[in-house]
Amino acid sequence: DQVVETIQSATAAVREEPAFADSEIVVSDDGSTADVASPALAAADGVPVRIERLSTNSGRFEARRAGLHAAEGEIVLFIDAGVTLVPGSLAFVAPRVDQGRDVWNAHTEIETEGSLFALFWKVVTSLAFGDYVDHFPKGTTCFLAPRSLLVEAFDAFRSRYADTRNANDDGPIIRWVAARSRVNIAPSFACVYTPRRTLRSFVKHALHRGVVFVDGHGRPESRFFPLVVAFFSVGAALAVATVKRPLVAPLAALGVAGAAAVAASRRRRSTEETLAFAALAPVYAVAHGVGMWRGAALALAGRLRQRT
Protein backbone atom coordinates (compact mmCIF):
# COMPACT_ATOMS: atom_id res chain seq x y z
CA ASP A 1 0.00 0.00 0.00
CA GLN A 2 1.37 3.41 -1.01
CA VAL A 3 0.34 5.18 2.20
CA VAL A 4 2.04 2.50 4.30
CA GLU A 5 5.28 2.78 2.32
CA THR A 6 5.26 6.56 2.65
CA ILE A 7 4.73 6.43 6.41
CA GLN A 8 7.42 3.76 6.83
CA SER A 9 9.97 5.90 4.99
CA ALA A 10 9.03 8.97 7.07
CA THR A 11 9.35 6.94 10.27
CA ALA A 12 12.79 5.70 9.30
CA ALA A 13 13.87 9.22 8.37
CA VAL A 14 12.90 10.85 11.68
CA ARG A 15 14.50 8.04 13.66
CA GLU A 16 17.85 8.38 11.91
CA GLU A 17 18.07 12.11 12.62
CA PRO A 18 17.95 13.23 16.30
CA ALA A 19 16.91 16.77 15.34
CA PHE A 20 13.58 15.37 14.15
CA ALA A 21 13.14 12.82 16.94
CA ASP A 22 10.05 14.54 18.37
CA SER A 23 8.24 14.62 15.02
CA GLU A 24 4.66 13.52 14.50
CA ILE A 25 2.96 12.18 11.39
CA VAL A 26 -0.31 13.77 10.30
CA VAL A 27 -2.22 11.74 7.71
CA SER A 28 -4.85 13.61 5.68
CA ASP A 29 -7.52 11.13 4.65
CA ASP A 30 -9.30 12.76 1.72
CA GLY A 31 -12.66 11.09 2.22
CA SER A 32 -11.53 7.54 1.42
CA THR A 33 -13.77 4.61 2.25
CA ALA A 34 -10.87 2.40 3.34
CA ASP A 35 -9.51 2.03 6.87
CA VAL A 36 -6.55 4.40 6.88
CA ALA A 37 -5.94 4.65 10.61
CA SER A 38 -5.03 1.03 11.38
CA PRO A 39 -2.34 0.54 8.70
CA ALA A 40 -1.01 4.07 9.33
CA LEU A 41 -0.53 3.42 13.05
CA ALA A 42 1.13 0.07 12.35
CA ALA A 43 3.46 1.57 9.73
CA ALA A 44 4.52 4.42 12.05
CA ASP A 45 5.84 1.85 14.54
CA GLY A 46 5.57 4.07 17.61
CA VAL A 47 5.98 7.50 16.01
CA PRO A 48 2.93 9.62 16.98
CA VAL A 49 0.27 9.60 14.25
CA ARG A 50 -2.88 11.67 13.88
CA ILE A 51 -5.52 11.12 11.21
CA GLU A 52 -7.29 14.16 9.77
CA ARG A 53 -10.27 12.83 7.86
CA LEU A 54 -12.20 14.95 5.38
CA SER A 55 -15.85 13.91 5.12
CA THR A 56 -15.85 14.04 1.32
CA ASN A 57 -13.21 13.88 -1.40
CA SER A 58 -12.02 17.48 -1.58
CA GLY A 59 -8.76 17.18 -3.51
CA ARG A 60 -5.12 17.56 -2.59
CA PHE A 61 -5.24 21.26 -1.74
CA GLU A 62 -7.93 20.91 0.93
CA ALA A 63 -6.38 17.69 2.25
CA ARG A 64 -3.04 19.41 2.63
CA ARG A 65 -4.59 22.45 4.25
CA ALA A 66 -6.36 20.23 6.79
CA GLY A 67 -3.11 18.45 7.62
CA LEU A 68 -1.19 21.71 7.78
CA HIS A 69 -3.59 23.28 10.28
CA ALA A 70 -3.57 20.08 12.34
CA ALA A 71 0.23 19.97 12.52
CA GLU A 72 1.83 21.36 15.65
CA GLY A 73 5.52 21.43 14.73
CA GLU A 74 7.44 24.49 13.56
CA ILE A 75 8.65 22.69 10.41
CA VAL A 76 6.32 20.79 8.09
CA LEU A 77 7.22 18.23 5.44
CA PHE A 78 4.57 17.65 2.79
CA ILE A 79 4.92 14.19 1.29
CA ASP A 80 2.37 12.62 -1.02
CA ALA A 81 1.20 9.02 -0.87
CA GLY A 82 3.30 6.94 -3.21
CA VAL A 83 6.40 8.99 -2.40
CA THR A 84 9.17 7.75 -0.11
CA LEU A 85 12.08 9.65 1.39
CA VAL A 86 15.56 8.59 0.36
CA PRO A 87 17.56 7.54 3.48
CA GLY A 88 19.74 10.36 4.79
CA SER A 89 17.53 13.15 3.41
CA LEU A 90 16.45 14.60 6.75
CA ALA A 91 19.95 14.13 8.14
CA PHE A 92 21.22 16.28 5.26
CA VAL A 93 18.59 18.97 5.79
CA ALA A 94 18.69 19.20 9.62
CA PRO A 95 21.92 21.22 10.09
CA ARG A 96 21.02 23.50 7.19
CA VAL A 97 17.62 24.26 8.71
CA ASP A 98 19.46 25.34 11.87
CA GLN A 99 21.50 27.71 9.68
CA GLY A 100 18.36 29.38 8.37
CA ARG A 101 17.99 27.43 5.13
CA ASP A 102 14.59 26.12 6.11
CA VAL A 103 12.74 25.76 2.77
CA TRP A 104 13.58 22.65 0.74
CA ASN A 105 12.09 21.06 -2.35
CA ALA A 106 13.15 17.43 -2.72
CA HIS A 107 15.05 16.18 -5.72
CA THR A 108 12.73 13.56 -7.24
CA GLU A 109 13.79 10.14 -8.43
CA ILE A 110 11.38 7.98 -10.44
CA GLU A 111 10.87 4.28 -9.69
CA THR A 112 10.69 2.78 -13.19
CA GLU A 113 10.96 -1.03 -12.93
CA GLY A 114 10.76 -1.23 -16.72
CA SER A 115 7.37 0.53 -16.93
CA LEU A 116 6.88 2.53 -20.13
CA PHE A 117 4.82 5.11 -18.26
CA ALA A 118 7.37 5.42 -15.45
CA LEU A 119 10.17 5.89 -17.99
CA PHE A 120 8.14 8.72 -19.54
CA TRP A 121 7.85 10.48 -16.18
CA LYS A 122 11.53 9.97 -15.49
CA VAL A 123 12.33 12.03 -18.58
CA VAL A 124 9.74 14.66 -17.63
CA THR A 125 11.36 14.94 -14.20
CA SER A 126 14.83 15.33 -15.72
CA LEU A 127 13.51 18.18 -17.86
CA ALA A 128 11.70 19.88 -14.96
CA PHE A 129 14.64 19.60 -12.57
CA GLY A 130 17.31 20.15 -15.19
CA ASP A 131 18.11 23.71 -14.17
CA TYR A 132 19.05 24.14 -10.51
CA VAL A 133 20.26 27.71 -10.90
CA ASP A 134 17.88 29.95 -12.83
CA HIS A 135 14.55 28.39 -11.95
CA PHE A 136 13.04 26.60 -9.00
CA PRO A 137 11.03 23.40 -9.52
CA LYS A 138 7.26 23.87 -9.42
CA GLY A 139 6.24 20.67 -7.64
CA THR A 140 5.66 20.22 -3.93
CA THR A 141 5.41 16.43 -3.89
CA CYS A 142 8.00 16.41 -1.11
CA PHE A 143 8.41 19.93 0.28
CA LEU A 144 9.78 21.11 3.63
CA ALA A 145 9.18 24.59 5.04
CA PRO A 146 8.24 26.45 8.24
CA ARG A 147 4.62 25.84 9.15
CA SER A 148 3.92 29.56 9.59
CA LEU A 149 5.15 30.31 6.06
CA LEU A 150 3.03 27.53 4.56
CA VAL A 151 -0.07 28.66 6.45
CA GLU A 152 0.35 32.15 5.01
CA ALA A 153 0.86 30.73 1.51
CA PHE A 154 -2.28 28.61 1.74
CA ASP A 155 -4.31 31.51 3.12
CA ALA A 156 -3.14 33.70 0.21
CA PHE A 157 -3.93 31.04 -2.40
CA ARG A 158 -6.64 31.81 -4.92
CA SER A 159 -7.87 29.51 -7.66
CA ARG A 160 -9.73 30.48 -10.82
CA TYR A 161 -11.92 27.45 -10.26
CA ALA A 162 -14.87 27.16 -7.91
CA ASP A 163 -13.93 23.54 -7.17
CA THR A 164 -10.47 23.42 -5.58
CA ARG A 165 -10.13 19.77 -6.59
CA ASN A 166 -9.15 21.20 -9.98
CA ALA A 167 -6.85 23.84 -8.51
CA ASN A 168 -3.11 23.98 -9.06
CA ASP A 169 -1.69 24.34 -5.57
CA ASP A 170 1.86 23.56 -6.67
CA GLY A 171 2.77 26.53 -8.88
CA PRO A 172 1.09 29.38 -6.98
CA ILE A 173 2.12 28.06 -3.56
CA ILE A 174 5.78 27.63 -4.42
CA ARG A 175 5.90 30.99 -6.24
CA TRP A 176 4.43 32.68 -3.14
CA VAL A 177 6.99 30.97 -0.90
CA ALA A 178 9.89 31.68 -3.27
CA ALA A 179 9.04 35.39 -3.32
CA ARG A 180 9.69 35.46 0.43
CA SER A 181 12.31 32.81 1.05
CA ARG A 182 14.98 30.98 -0.90
CA VAL A 183 13.87 27.52 -2.05
CA ASN A 184 16.75 25.08 -1.66
CA ILE A 185 17.24 21.91 -3.68
CA ALA A 186 20.03 19.35 -3.64
CA PRO A 187 20.35 15.69 -4.69
CA SER A 188 21.05 14.76 -1.06
CA PHE A 189 17.50 15.73 -0.06
CA ALA A 190 15.55 13.39 -2.29
CA CYS A 191 12.44 11.30 -2.63
CA VAL A 192 11.34 8.40 -4.80
CA TYR A 193 8.08 8.71 -6.71
CA THR A 194 6.17 5.71 -8.02
CA PRO A 195 4.09 6.86 -11.02
CA ARG A 196 0.93 5.42 -12.49
CA ARG A 197 1.48 2.27 -14.53
CA THR A 198 -1.61 1.78 -16.71
CA LEU A 199 -2.70 3.59 -19.85
CA ARG A 200 -6.04 4.55 -18.32
CA SER A 201 -4.48 6.11 -15.21
CA PHE A 202 -1.80 7.77 -17.35
CA VAL A 203 -4.39 9.46 -19.58
CA LYS A 204 -6.54 10.45 -16.60
CA HIS A 205 -3.52 11.97 -14.87
CA ALA A 206 -2.47 13.85 -18.01
CA LEU A 207 -5.99 15.23 -18.39
CA HIS A 208 -6.01 16.45 -14.79
CA ARG A 209 -2.57 18.01 -15.19
CA GLY A 210 -3.88 19.97 -18.17
CA VAL A 211 -6.72 21.36 -16.06
CA VAL A 212 -4.46 22.41 -13.19
CA PHE A 213 -1.82 23.76 -15.59
CA VAL A 214 -4.20 26.48 -16.74
CA ASP A 215 -5.00 27.40 -13.14
CA GLY A 216 -1.36 27.52 -12.10
CA HIS A 217 0.28 28.97 -15.19
CA GLY A 218 -2.48 30.90 -16.93
CA ARG A 219 -1.24 33.86 -14.93
CA PRO A 220 1.15 36.61 -16.13
CA GLU A 221 3.50 35.97 -13.19
CA SER A 222 4.22 32.44 -14.42
CA ARG A 223 7.12 31.95 -16.81
CA PHE A 224 4.88 29.47 -18.65
CA PHE A 225 2.18 32.08 -19.31
CA PRO A 226 3.33 32.72 -22.92
CA LEU A 227 3.17 28.97 -23.50
CA VAL A 228 -0.42 28.85 -22.26
CA VAL A 229 -1.43 31.72 -24.54
CA ALA A 230 0.34 30.15 -27.52
CA PHE A 231 -1.26 26.76 -26.87
CA PHE A 232 -4.82 27.98 -27.33
CA SER A 233 -3.94 29.81 -30.55
CA VAL A 234 -2.02 26.90 -32.02
CA GLY A 235 -4.50 24.34 -30.69
CA ALA A 236 -7.46 26.08 -32.28
CA ALA A 237 -5.62 26.40 -35.61
CA LEU A 238 -4.60 22.74 -35.48
CA ALA A 239 -8.17 21.63 -34.77
CA VAL A 240 -9.49 23.59 -37.75
CA ALA A 241 -6.73 22.22 -39.99
CA THR A 242 -7.47 18.64 -38.85
CA VAL A 243 -11.16 19.01 -39.73
CA LYS A 244 -10.24 20.19 -43.21
CA ARG A 245 -7.41 17.70 -43.70
CA PRO A 246 -7.47 14.68 -41.35
CA LEU A 247 -3.89 13.80 -42.32
CA VAL A 248 -2.77 16.77 -40.22
CA ALA A 249 -3.46 14.84 -36.98
CA PRO A 250 -1.01 11.93 -37.53
CA LEU A 251 1.59 14.33 -38.91
CA ALA A 252 1.25 16.47 -35.77
CA ALA A 253 1.62 13.36 -33.61
CA LEU A 254 4.81 12.42 -35.44
CA GLY A 255 6.08 15.95 -34.94
CA VAL A 256 5.40 15.78 -31.18
CA ALA A 257 7.12 12.40 -30.96
CA GLY A 258 10.15 13.69 -32.85
CA ALA A 259 10.42 16.80 -30.69
CA ALA A 260 10.14 14.64 -27.57
CA ALA A 261 12.94 12.37 -28.79
CA VAL A 262 15.20 15.37 -29.43
CA ALA A 263 14.45 16.86 -25.99
CA ALA A 264 15.22 13.55 -24.26
CA SER A 265 18.45 13.01 -26.19
CA ARG A 266 19.63 16.50 -25.31
CA ARG A 267 19.26 15.54 -21.65
CA ARG A 268 21.35 12.47 -22.43
CA ARG A 269 18.62 10.06 -21.46
CA SER A 270 19.03 6.36 -22.25
CA THR A 271 17.68 4.88 -25.46
CA GLU A 272 14.92 3.13 -23.49
CA GLU A 273 13.86 6.38 -21.83
CA THR A 274 14.00 8.32 -25.10
CA LEU A 275 11.81 5.79 -26.92
CA ALA A 276 9.27 5.71 -24.07
CA PHE A 277 9.12 9.50 -23.96
CA ALA A 278 8.70 9.78 -27.74
CA ALA A 279 6.04 7.04 -27.86
CA LEU A 280 3.87 8.48 -25.10
CA ALA A 281 4.38 12.19 -25.79
CA PRO A 282 1.57 12.39 -28.41
CA VAL A 283 -0.85 10.58 -26.05
CA TYR A 284 0.09 12.86 -23.19
CA ALA A 285 -0.10 15.96 -25.40
CA VAL A 286 -3.66 15.18 -26.50
CA ALA A 287 -4.90 14.38 -22.97
CA HIS A 288 -3.09 17.37 -21.47
CA GLY A 289 -4.43 19.62 -24.23
CA VAL A 290 -8.01 18.49 -23.65
CA GLY A 291 -7.47 19.20 -19.97
CA MET A 292 -6.25 22.71 -20.76
CA TRP A 293 -9.36 23.44 -22.81
CA ARG A 294 -11.48 22.13 -19.94
CA GLY A 295 -9.50 24.33 -17.56
CA ALA A 296 -10.14 27.38 -19.74
CA ALA A 297 -13.86 26.60 -19.69
CA LEU A 298 -13.84 26.25 -15.90
CA ALA A 299 -11.94 29.53 -15.53
CA LEU A 300 -14.43 31.30 -17.79
CA ALA A 301 -17.34 29.84 -15.85
CA GLY A 302 -15.76 31.03 -12.61
CA ARG A 303 -15.34 34.55 -13.95
CA LEU A 304 -18.95 34.70 -15.18
CA ARG A 305 -20.13 33.44 -11.80
CA GLN A 306 -18.23 36.25 -10.06
CA ARG A 307 -19.86 38.87 -12.28
CA THR A 308 -23.31 37.59 -11.47
Side-chain angles (χ1 to χ4, degrees), residues 14-220:
V14 299
R15 282 185 168 164
E16 73 178 1
E17 175 47 51
F20 290 96
D22 60 348
S23 297
E24 65 170 350
I25 296 174
V26 178
V27 179
S28 280
D29 178 0
D30 189 19
S32 69
T33 57
D35 175 18
V36 174
S38 297
L41 290 169
D45 193 24
V47 174
V49 174
R50 280 192 290 136
I51 310 295
E52 289 296 315
R53 192 175 191 281
L54 282 69
S55 58
T56 59
N57 177 255
S58 303
R60 189 173 74 164
F61 177 78
E62 293 300 339
R64 281 184 164 186
R65 177 154 61 182
L68 177 62
H69 283 284
E72 297 179 352
E74 295 181 2
I75 298 292
V76 168
L77 172 65
F78 283 138
I79 183 166
D80 291 345
V83 177
T84 56
L85 277 171
V86 172
S89 291
L90 290 188
F92 173 81
V93 165
R96 291 162 177 82
V97 169
D98 289 340
Q99 296 166 7
R101 297 169 62 186
D102 53 6
V103 179
W104 288 85
N105 198 359
H107 175 88
T108 305
E109 300 174 3
I110 305 296
E111 181 63 60
T112 58
E113 295 181 349
S115 166
L116 186 70
F117 305 106
L119 290 169
F120 173 90
W121 286 114
K122 188 170 184 179
V123 177
V124 171
T125 301
S126 73
L127 297 174
F129 282 75
D131 189 346
Y132 277 7
V133 180
D134 295 329
H135 306 111
F136 51 84
K138 71 176 185 64
T140 53
T141 293
C142 184
F143 191 75
L144 183 144
R147 179 183 178 277
S148 58
L149 185 65
L150 289 172
V151 168
E152 287 186 59
F154 271 67
D155 287 345
F157 177 79
R158 298 291 182 273
S159 172
R160 286 185 168 84
Y161 306 149
D163 188 346
T164 54
R165 286 179 297 181
N166 296 316
N168 184 331
D169 58 319
D170 278 300
I173 290 293
I174 202 170
R175 278 199 298 271
W176 193 96
V177 170
R180 293 156 179 81
S181 177
R182 178 179 179 138
V183 178
N184 299 280
I185 181 168
S188 295
F189 176 58
C191 66
V192 177
Y193 170 67
T194 302
R196 295 155 181 80
R197 296 178 179 274
T198 66
L199 179 60
R200 181 178 179 179
S201 60
F202 176 82
V203 171
K204 184 178 179 180
H205 184 52
L207 181 68
H208 179 69
R209 286 177 72 99
V211 174
V212 302
F213 192 84
V214 172
D215 188 44
H217 300 289
R219 310 163 185 256

